[in-house]
Amino acid sequence: NGVKAALARGEVPMSDAERKDAYELSQKPEYQHPADSNWSGKPDNEKIVQELNRRYHGNQNVRTADTMRSGRSKYRKSLEGKTEEK
């Protein structure tokens, strides 16, 4: 599975809490690109990565924009399944 593969590569798998934080941060204006940007309103992945690394990894560069984006996407998809069940 993905967790075992990540551990075998010496990587730190994202926890459910970290995925949730990545998603929630992406919804906040202060973690989105400004209005005058080409990506206005889209998540600023670099800011989110910096915050996740601060909160979960003692400011070490454990997360990258790609790993965070993947974790955030998995969390968002899990929410879609929950809303369809209601």
Side-chain angles (χ1 to χ4, degrees), residues 22 25-26 30-34 39 42-55 59-69 72:
L25 289 170
S26 75
E30 60 267 31
Y31 290 94
Q32 296 175 355
H33 289 282
W39 302 283
K42 299 286 184 190
D44 186 334
N45 293 318
E46 291 302 321
K47 278 187 180 179
I48 296 169
V49 164
Q50 288 174 357
E51 183 62 18
L52 293 177
N53 284 330
R54 185 189 69 77
R55 289 183 186 184
N59 284 323
Q60 294 182 27
N61 292 326
V62 172
R63 293 290 163 245
T64 64
D66 288 338
T67 59
M68 182 276 310
R69 195 171 22 250
R72 188 179 70 218

Side-chain angles (χ1 to χ4, degrees), residues 14-27 48 52 55-56 68 71-76 78-79 82:
M14 280 186 96
S15 67
D16 290 341
E18 194 173 0
R19 281 189 189 101
K20 181 180 179 187
D21 274 357
Y23 175 78
E24 289 178 351
L25 289 170
S26 75
Q27 303 303 300
I48 296 169
L52 293 177
R55 289 183 186 184
Y56 292 93
M68 182 276 310
R72 188 179 70 218
S73 175
K74 286 179 184 178
Y75 182 78
R76 185 178 60 244
S78 77
L79 290 179
K82 289 177 184 176

